[in-house]
mmCIF file of all heavy atoms in Angstrom:
data_model
loop_
_atom_site.group_PDB
_atom_site.id
_atom_site.type_symbol
_atom_site.label_atom_id
_atom_site.label_comp_id
_atom_site.label_asym_id
_atom_site.label_seq_id
_atom_site.Cartn_x
_atom_site.Cartn_y
_atom_site.Cartn_z
ATOM 1 N N HIS A 1625 18.261 7.456 4.045
ATOM 2 C CA HIS A 1625 16.865 7.616 4.487
ATOM 3 C C HIS A 1625 16.457 6.534 5.485
ATOM 4 O O HIS A 1625 15.419 6.625 6.110
ATOM 5 C CB HIS A 1625 15.907 7.569 3.288
ATOM 6 C CG HIS A 1625 16.025 8.754 2.389
ATOM 7 N ND1 HIS A 1625 14.946 9.508 2.012
ATOM 8 C CD2 HIS A 1625 17.103 9.320 1.805
ATOM 9 C CE1 HIS A 1625 15.357 10.489 1.223
ATOM 10 N NE2 HIS A 1625 16.662 10.379 1.086
ATOM 11 N N ILE A 1626 17.273 5.481 5.571
ATOM 12 C CA ILE A 1626 16.893 4.349 6.440
ATOM 13 C C ILE A 1626 17.802 4.304 7.664
ATOM 14 O O ILE A 1626 19.024 4.421 7.537
ATOM 15 C CB ILE A 1626 17.041 3.001 5.690
ATOM 16 C CG1 ILE A 1626 16.175 2.994 4.433
ATOM 17 C CG2 ILE A 1626 16.678 1.826 6.596
ATOM 18 C CD1 ILE A 1626 16.372 1.760 3.556
ATOM 19 N N GLU A 1627 17.207 4.124 8.847
ATOM 20 C CA GLU A 1627 18.032 3.849 10.034
ATOM 21 C C GLU A 1627 17.582 2.515 10.624
ATOM 22 O O GLU A 1627 16.434 2.106 10.464
ATOM 23 C CB GLU A 1627 17.931 4.973 11.062
ATOM 24 C CG GLU A 1627 16.587 5.079 11.721
ATOM 25 C CD GLU A 1627 16.536 6.186 12.769
ATOM 26 O OE1 GLU A 1627 17.564 6.817 13.034
ATOM 27 O OE2 GLU A 1627 15.439 6.411 13.298
ATOM 28 N N MET A 1628 18.524 1.848 11.296
ATOM 29 C CA MET A 1628 18.195 0.573 11.940
ATOM 30 C C MET A 1628 17.740 0.885 13.366
ATOM 31 O O MET A 1628 18.464 1.529 14.122
ATOM 32 C CB MET A 1628 19.407 -0.358 11.968
ATOM 33 C CG MET A 1628 19.889 -0.825 10.609
ATOM 34 S SD MET A 1628 18.653 -1.699 9.619
ATOM 35 C CE MET A 1628 18.406 -3.203 10.556
ATOM 36 N N ARG A 1629 16.520 0.457 13.702
ATOM 37 C CA ARG A 1629 16.008 0.662 15.065
ATOM 38 C C ARG A 1629 15.518 -0.670 15.600
ATOM 39 O O ARG A 1629 14.677 -1.310 14.975
ATOM 40 C CB ARG A 1629 14.836 1.664 15.030
ATOM 41 C CG ARG A 1629 15.093 2.890 15.903
ATOM 42 C CD ARG A 1629 13.891 3.786 15.943
ATOM 43 N NE ARG A 1629 13.744 4.619 14.751
ATOM 44 C CZ ARG A 1629 12.572 5.029 14.265
ATOM 45 N NH1 ARG A 1629 11.445 4.700 14.865
ATOM 46 N NH2 ARG A 1629 12.521 5.775 13.183
ATOM 47 N N ASN A 1630 16.090 -1.110 16.729
ATOM 48 C CA ASN A 1630 15.744 -2.404 17.318
ATOM 49 C C ASN A 1630 15.809 -3.538 16.290
ATOM 50 O O ASN A 1630 14.917 -4.393 16.224
ATOM 51 C CB ASN A 1630 14.338 -2.370 17.938
ATOM 52 C CG ASN A 1630 14.254 -1.346 19.041
ATOM 53 O OD1 ASN A 1630 15.230 -1.132 19.759
ATOM 54 N ND2 ASN A 1630 13.117 -0.683 19.163
ATOM 55 N N GLY A 1631 16.834 -3.495 15.465
ATOM 56 C CA GLY A 1631 17.033 -4.578 14.507
ATOM 57 C C GLY A 1631 16.107 -4.540 13.305
ATOM 58 O O GLY A 1631 16.041 -5.508 12.552
ATOM 59 N N LEU A 1632 15.413 -3.415 13.094
ATOM 60 C CA LEU A 1632 14.545 -3.310 11.923
ATOM 61 C C LEU A 1632 14.852 -2.025 11.157
ATOM 62 O O LEU A 1632 15.126 -0.988 11.774
ATOM 63 C CB LEU A 1632 13.070 -3.268 12.338
ATOM 64 C CG LEU A 1632 12.470 -4.535 12.931
ATOM 65 C CD1 LEU A 1632 11.016 -4.281 13.305
ATOM 66 C CD2 LEU A 1632 12.556 -5.697 11.951
ATOM 67 N N PRO A 1633 14.790 -2.078 9.817
ATOM 68 C CA PRO A 1633 15.022 -0.843 9.069
ATOM 69 C C PRO A 1633 13.796 0.070 9.149
ATOM 70 O O PRO A 1633 12.661 -0.395 8.981
ATOM 71 C CB PRO A 1633 15.231 -1.354 7.637
ATOM 72 C CG PRO A 1633 14.545 -2.665 7.572
ATOM 73 C CD PRO A 1633 14.508 -3.229 8.964
ATOM 74 N N ARG A 1634 14.023 1.341 9.433
ATOM 75 C CA ARG A 1634 12.921 2.318 9.541
ATOM 76 C C ARG A 1634 13.213 3.488 8.628
ATOM 77 O O ARG A 1634 14.346 3.972 8.581
ATOM 78 C CB ARG A 1634 12.808 2.848 10.976
ATOM 79 C CG ARG A 1634 12.499 1.794 11.989
ATOM 80 C CD ARG A 1634 11.054 1.410 11.912
ATOM 81 N NE ARG A 1634 10.754 0.358 12.876
ATOM 82 C CZ ARG A 1634 9.536 -0.052 13.164
ATOM 83 N NH1 ARG A 1634 8.501 0.471 12.539
ATOM 84 N NH2 ARG A 1634 9.338 -0.995 14.035
ATOM 85 N N LEU A 1635 12.149 3.980 7.972
ATOM 86 C CA LEU A 1635 12.304 5.109 7.054
ATOM 87 C C LEU A 1635 12.315 6.410 7.849
ATOM 88 O O LEU A 1635 11.451 6.631 8.696
ATOM 89 C CB LEU A 1635 11.135 5.091 6.063
ATOM 90 C CG LEU A 1635 11.326 5.828 4.753
ATOM 91 C CD1 LEU A 1635 12.537 5.328 3.994
ATOM 92 C CD2 LEU A 1635 10.078 5.669 3.900
ATOM 93 N N ARG A 1636 13.311 7.259 7.583
ATOM 94 C CA ARG A 1636 13.412 8.532 8.324
ATOM 95 C C ARG A 1636 12.831 9.697 7.536
ATOM 96 O O ARG A 1636 12.379 10.676 8.083
ATOM 97 C CB ARG A 1636 14.876 8.841 8.631
ATOM 98 C CG ARG A 1636 15.501 7.869 9.614
ATOM 99 C CD ARG A 1636 16.817 8.355 10.096
ATOM 100 N NE ARG A 1636 17.690 8.743 8.983
ATOM 101 C CZ ARG A 1636 18.675 9.605 9.084
ATOM 102 N NH1 ARG A 1636 18.909 10.195 10.210
ATOM 103 N NH2 ARG A 1636 19.443 9.882 8.046
ATOM 104 N N LYS A 1637 12.950 9.604 6.185
ATOM 105 C CA LYS A 1637 12.472 10.705 5.346
ATOM 106 C C LYS A 1637 11.645 10.102 4.208
ATOM 107 O O LYS A 1637 11.733 8.916 3.952
ATOM 108 C CB LYS A 1637 13.651 11.428 4.689
ATOM 109 C CG LYS A 1637 14.668 12.012 5.608
ATOM 110 C CD LYS A 1637 15.742 12.649 4.733
ATOM 111 C CE LYS A 1637 16.975 12.993 5.536
ATOM 112 N NZ LYS A 1637 18.103 13.322 4.683
ATOM 113 N N ARG A 1638 10.931 10.962 3.511
ATOM 114 C CA ARG A 1638 10.194 10.476 2.333
ATOM 115 C C ARG A 1638 11.166 10.109 1.230
ATOM 116 O O ARG A 1638 12.199 10.753 1.061
ATOM 117 C CB ARG A 1638 9.269 11.583 1.821
ATOM 118 C CG ARG A 1638 7.934 11.644 2.556
ATOM 119 C CD ARG A 1638 7.161 12.792 2.024
ATOM 120 N NE ARG A 1638 6.813 12.551 0.617
ATOM 121 C CZ ARG A 1638 5.603 12.689 0.134
ATOM 122 N NH1 ARG A 1638 4.621 13.039 0.932
ATOM 123 N NH2 ARG A 1638 5.357 12.488 -1.127
ATOM 124 N N CYS A 1639 10.813 9.099 0.473
ATOM 125 C CA CYS A 1639 11.718 8.660 -0.603
ATOM 126 C C CYS A 1639 11.459 9.454 -1.879
ATOM 127 O O CYS A 1639 10.314 9.763 -2.188
ATOM 128 C CB CYS A 1639 11.458 7.206 -0.956
ATOM 129 S SG CYS A 1639 11.649 6.110 0.412
ATOM 130 N N PRO A 1640 12.505 9.714 -2.654
ATOM 131 C CA PRO A 1640 12.272 10.251 -3.998
ATOM 132 C C PRO A 1640 11.603 9.174 -4.861
ATOM 133 O O PRO A 1640 11.851 7.984 -4.647
ATOM 134 C CB PRO A 1640 13.682 10.559 -4.508
ATOM 135 C CG PRO A 1640 14.610 9.794 -3.630
ATOM 136 C CD PRO A 1640 13.905 9.496 -2.346
ATOM 137 N N THR A 1641 10.780 9.581 -5.800
ATOM 138 C CA THR A 1641 10.104 8.557 -6.615
ATOM 139 C C THR A 1641 11.105 7.865 -7.556
ATOM 140 O O THR A 1641 12.089 8.452 -7.980
ATOM 141 C CB THR A 1641 8.963 9.169 -7.466
ATOM 142 O OG1 THR A 1641 9.476 10.330 -8.074
ATOM 143 C CG2 THR A 1641 7.735 9.475 -6.645
ATOM 144 N N GLY A 1642 10.822 6.621 -7.806
ATOM 145 C CA GLY A 1642 11.635 5.854 -8.772
ATOM 146 C C GLY A 1642 12.894 5.250 -8.175
ATOM 147 O O GLY A 1642 13.678 4.639 -8.894
ATOM 148 N N CYS A 1643 13.088 5.394 -6.878
ATOM 149 C CA CYS A 1643 14.321 4.855 -6.278
ATOM 150 C C CYS A 1643 14.103 3.401 -5.835
ATOM 151 O O CYS A 1643 13.072 3.080 -5.248
ATOM 152 C CB CYS A 1643 14.711 5.718 -5.084
ATOM 153 S SG CYS A 1643 16.170 5.079 -4.247
ATOM 154 N N ASP A 1644 15.076 2.542 -6.125
ATOM 155 C CA ASP A 1644 14.941 1.141 -5.704
ATOM 156 C C ASP A 1644 16.235 0.598 -5.090
ATOM 157 O O ASP A 1644 16.460 -0.605 -5.044
ATOM 158 C CB ASP A 1644 14.491 0.254 -6.885
ATOM 159 C CG ASP A 1644 15.467 0.269 -8.055
ATOM 160 O OD1 ASP A 1644 16.506 0.957 -7.975
ATOM 161 O OD2 ASP A 1644 15.191 -0.416 -9.045
ATOM 162 N N ARG A 1645 17.078 1.491 -4.597
ATOM 163 C CA ARG A 1645 18.394 1.079 -4.092
ATOM 164 C C ARG A 1645 18.314 0.106 -2.913
ATOM 165 O O ARG A 1645 19.054 -0.865 -2.843
ATOM 166 C CB ARG A 1645 19.188 2.303 -3.627
ATOM 167 C CG ARG A 1645 19.594 3.239 -4.722
ATOM 168 C CD ARG A 1645 19.976 4.589 -4.126
ATOM 169 N NE ARG A 1645 21.084 4.509 -3.210
ATOM 170 C CZ ARG A 1645 22.355 4.707 -3.543
ATOM 171 N NH1 ARG A 1645 22.657 5.010 -4.781
ATOM 172 N NH2 ARG A 1645 23.312 4.613 -2.652
ATOM 173 N N CYS A 1646 17.410 0.382 -1.960
ATOM 174 C CA CYS A 1646 17.360 -0.473 -0.762
ATOM 175 C C CYS A 1646 16.901 -1.888 -1.128
ATOM 176 O O CYS A 1646 17.434 -2.878 -0.617
ATOM 177 C CB CYS A 1646 16.467 0.134 0.312
ATOM 178 S SG CYS A 1646 14.819 0.561 -0.257
ATOM 179 N N TYR A 1647 15.949 -1.960 -2.035
ATOM 180 C CA TYR A 1647 15.438 -3.279 -2.440
ATOM 181 C C TYR A 1647 16.544 -4.066 -3.152
ATOM 182 O O TYR A 1647 16.719 -5.266 -2.935
ATOM 183 C CB TYR A 1647 14.222 -3.097 -3.362
ATOM 184 C CG TYR A 1647 13.414 -4.359 -3.551
ATOM 185 C CD1 TYR A 1647 12.278 -4.600 -2.779
ATOM 186 C CD2 TYR A 1647 13.794 -5.320 -4.481
ATOM 187 C CE1 TYR A 1647 11.539 -5.770 -2.945
ATOM 188 C CE2 TYR A 1647 13.076 -6.493 -4.653
ATOM 189 C CZ TYR A 1647 11.944 -6.714 -3.879
ATOM 190 O OH TYR A 1647 11.224 -7.871 -4.051
ATOM 191 N N ILE A 1648 17.328 -3.340 -3.966
ATOM 192 C CA ILE A 1648 18.432 -3.992 -4.684
ATOM 193 C C ILE A 1648 19.512 -4.455 -3.703
ATOM 194 O O ILE A 1648 20.070 -5.544 -3.827
ATOM 195 C CB ILE A 1648 19.044 -3.025 -5.725
ATOM 196 C CG1 ILE A 1648 18.060 -2.796 -6.870
ATOM 197 C CG2 ILE A 1648 20.366 -3.561 -6.271
ATOM 198 C CD1 ILE A 1648 18.514 -1.747 -7.868
ATOM 199 N N ALA A 1649 19.809 -3.612 -2.690
ATOM 200 C CA ALA A 1649 20.918 -3.931 -1.770
ATOM 201 C C ALA A 1649 20.577 -5.061 -0.812
ATOM 202 O O ALA A 1649 21.475 -5.749 -0.317
ATOM 203 C CB ALA A 1649 21.283 -2.681 -0.967
ATOM 204 N N CYS A 1650 19.306 -5.275 -0.529
ATOM 205 C CA CYS A 1650 18.905 -6.261 0.485
ATOM 206 C C CYS A 1650 19.354 -7.674 0.094
ATOM 207 O O CYS A 1650 19.111 -8.138 -1.017
ATOM 208 C CB CYS A 1650 17.385 -6.222 0.664
ATOM 209 S SG CYS A 1650 16.792 -7.491 1.799
ATOM 210 N N THR A 1651 19.991 -8.341 1.043
ATOM 211 C CA THR A 1651 20.473 -9.698 0.764
ATOM 212 C C THR A 1651 19.325 -10.686 0.621
ATOM 213 O O THR A 1651 19.488 -11.752 0.052
ATOM 214 C CB THR A 1651 21.349 -10.194 1.924
ATOM 215 O OG1 THR A 1651 20.655 -9.944 3.137
ATOM 216 C CG2 THR A 1651 22.684 -9.511 1.928
ATOM 217 N N ARG A 1652 18.193 -10.334 1.188
ATOM 218 C CA ARG A 1652 17.096 -11.293 1.171
ATOM 219 C C ARG A 1652 16.159 -11.116 -0.022
ATOM 220 O O ARG A 1652 15.225 -11.887 -0.204
ATOM 221 C CB ARG A 1652 16.371 -11.229 2.497
ATOM 222 C CG ARG A 1652 17.327 -11.717 3.622
ATOM 223 C CD ARG A 1652 16.728 -12.732 4.473
ATOM 224 N NE ARG A 1652 17.700 -13.638 5.045
ATOM 225 C CZ ARG A 1652 17.374 -14.577 5.912
ATOM 226 N NH1 ARG A 1652 16.153 -14.716 6.316
ATOM 227 N NH2 ARG A 1652 18.280 -15.405 6.381
ATOM 228 N N THR A 1653 16.398 -10.078 -0.835
ATOM 229 C CA THR A 1653 15.635 -10.006 -2.088
ATOM 230 C C THR A 1653 16.370 -10.779 -3.188
ATOM 231 O O THR A 1653 15.743 -11.307 -4.092
ATOM 232 C CB THR A 1653 15.434 -8.547 -2.559
ATOM 233 O OG1 THR A 1653 16.706 -7.922 -2.732
ATOM 234 C CG2 THR A 1653 14.606 -7.746 -1.559
ATOM 235 N N ALA A 1654 17.684 -10.826 -3.101
ATOM 236 C CA ALA A 1654 18.466 -11.627 -4.056
ATOM 237 C C ALA A 1654 19.894 -11.750 -3.557
ATOM 238 O O ALA A 1654 20.486 -10.767 -3.125
ATOM 239 C CB ALA A 1654 18.477 -10.965 -5.439
ATOM 240 N N LEU A 1655 20.422 -12.948 -3.630
ATOM 241 C CA LEU A 1655 21.821 -13.154 -3.224
ATOM 242 C C LEU A 1655 22.484 -14.133 -4.197
ATOM 243 O O LEU A 1655 22.394 -15.340 -4.027
ATOM 244 C CB LEU A 1655 21.885 -13.701 -1.797
ATOM 245 C CG LEU A 1655 23.301 -13.701 -1.223
ATOM 246 C CD1 LEU A 1655 23.744 -12.283 -0.873
ATOM 247 C CD2 LEU A 1655 23.376 -14.566 0.016
ATOM 248 N N PRO A 1656 23.131 -13.597 -5.219
ATOM 249 C CA PRO A 1656 23.767 -14.489 -6.200
ATOM 250 C C PRO A 1656 25.098 -15.028 -5.663
ATOM 251 O O PRO A 1656 26.172 -14.483 -5.931
ATOM 252 C CB PRO A 1656 23.980 -13.571 -7.403
ATOM 253 C CG PRO A 1656 24.058 -12.207 -6.835
ATOM 254 C CD PRO A 1656 23.348 -12.191 -5.519
ATOM 255 N N VAL A 1657 25.012 -16.113 -4.932
ATOM 256 C CA VAL A 1657 26.168 -16.627 -4.192
ATOM 257 C C VAL A 1657 27.363 -16.924 -5.103
ATOM 258 O O VAL A 1657 28.493 -16.545 -4.797
ATOM 259 C CB VAL A 1657 25.760 -17.890 -3.398
ATOM 260 C CG1 VAL A 1657 26.960 -18.503 -2.701
ATOM 261 C CG2 VAL A 1657 24.696 -17.542 -2.379
ATOM 262 N N GLU A 1658 27.085 -17.576 -6.232
ATOM 263 C CA GLU A 1658 28.212 -17.970 -7.089
ATOM 264 C C GLU A 1658 28.918 -16.758 -7.683
ATOM 265 O O GLU A 1658 30.139 -16.743 -7.830
ATOM 266 C CB GLU A 1658 27.730 -18.913 -8.186
ATOM 267 C CG GLU A 1658 27.426 -20.287 -7.611
ATOM 268 C CD GLU A 1658 26.635 -21.178 -8.544
ATOM 269 O OE1 GLU A 1658 26.551 -20.877 -9.754
ATOM 270 O OE2 GLU A 1658 26.081 -22.183 -8.052
ATOM 271 N N VAL A 1659 28.136 -15.730 -8.030
ATOM 272 C CA VAL A 1659 28.739 -14.502 -8.566
ATOM 273 C C VAL A 1659 29.649 -13.890 -7.507
ATOM 274 O O VAL A 1659 30.778 -13.475 -7.785
ATOM 275 C CB VAL A 1659 27.634 -13.474 -8.945
ATOM 276 C CG1 VAL A 1659 28.252 -12.172 -9.423
ATOM 277 C CG2 VAL A 1659 26.698 -14.046 -9.990
ATOM 278 N N LEU A 1660 29.179 -13.870 -6.272
ATOM 279 C CA LEU A 1660 29.959 -13.263 -5.188
ATOM 280 C C LEU A 1660 31.193 -14.100 -4.873
ATOM 281 O O LEU A 1660 32.270 -13.559 -4.628
ATOM 282 C CB LEU A 1660 29.077 -13.066 -3.954
ATOM 283 C CG LEU A 1660 27.920 -12.064 -4.166
ATOM 284 C CD1 LEU A 1660 26.956 -12.086 -2.986
ATOM 285 C CD2 LEU A 1660 28.431 -10.645 -4.373
ATOM 286 N N GLU A 1661 31.070 -15.401 -4.899
ATOM 287 C CA GLU A 1661 32.243 -16.263 -4.643
ATOM 288 C C GLU A 1661 33.339 -15.980 -5.661
ATOM 289 O O GLU A 1661 34.512 -15.878 -5.317
ATOM 290 C CB GLU A 1661 31.850 -17.744 -4.748
ATOM 291 C CG GLU A 1661 31.152 -18.277 -3.515
ATOM 292 C CD GLU A 1661 30.637 -19.707 -3.711
ATOM 293 O OE1 GLU A 1661 30.633 -20.218 -4.866
ATOM 294 O OE2 GLU A 1661 30.221 -20.289 -2.716
ATOM 295 N N ARG A 1662 32.925 -15.806 -6.924
ATOM 296 C CA ARG A 1662 33.922 -15.520 -7.977
ATOM 297 C C ARG A 1662 34.522 -14.134 -7.773
ATOM 298 O O ARG A 1662 35.730 -13.948 -7.839
ATOM 299 C CB ARG A 1662 33.272 -15.600 -9.358
ATOM 300 C CG ARG A 1662 33.141 -17.002 -9.895
ATOM 301 C CD ARG A 1662 32.897 -17.003 -11.404
ATOM 302 N NE ARG A 1662 31.679 -16.299 -11.801
ATOM 303 C CZ ARG A 1662 30.454 -16.857 -11.788
ATOM 304 N NH1 ARG A 1662 30.297 -18.098 -11.386
ATOM 305 N NH2 ARG A 1662 29.408 -16.173 -12.166
#
Side-chain angles (χ1 to χ4, degrees):
H1625 291 232
I1626 302 174
E1627 69 178 356
M1628 294 302 293
R1629 238 185 281 150
N1630 299 326
L1632 291 179
R1634 298 284 179 170
L1635 201 57
R1636 293 192 310 155
K1637 301 179 193 167
R1638 276 177 66 130
C1639 302
T1641 47
C1643 177
D1644 60 0
R1645 293 163 61 94
C1646 53
Y1647 195 96
I1648 290 174
C1650 176
T1651 48
R1652 294 230 151 176
T1653 58
L1655 190 74
V1657 176
E1658 287 166 16
V1659 177
L1660 296 171
E1661 281 174 349
R1662 278 197 300 277

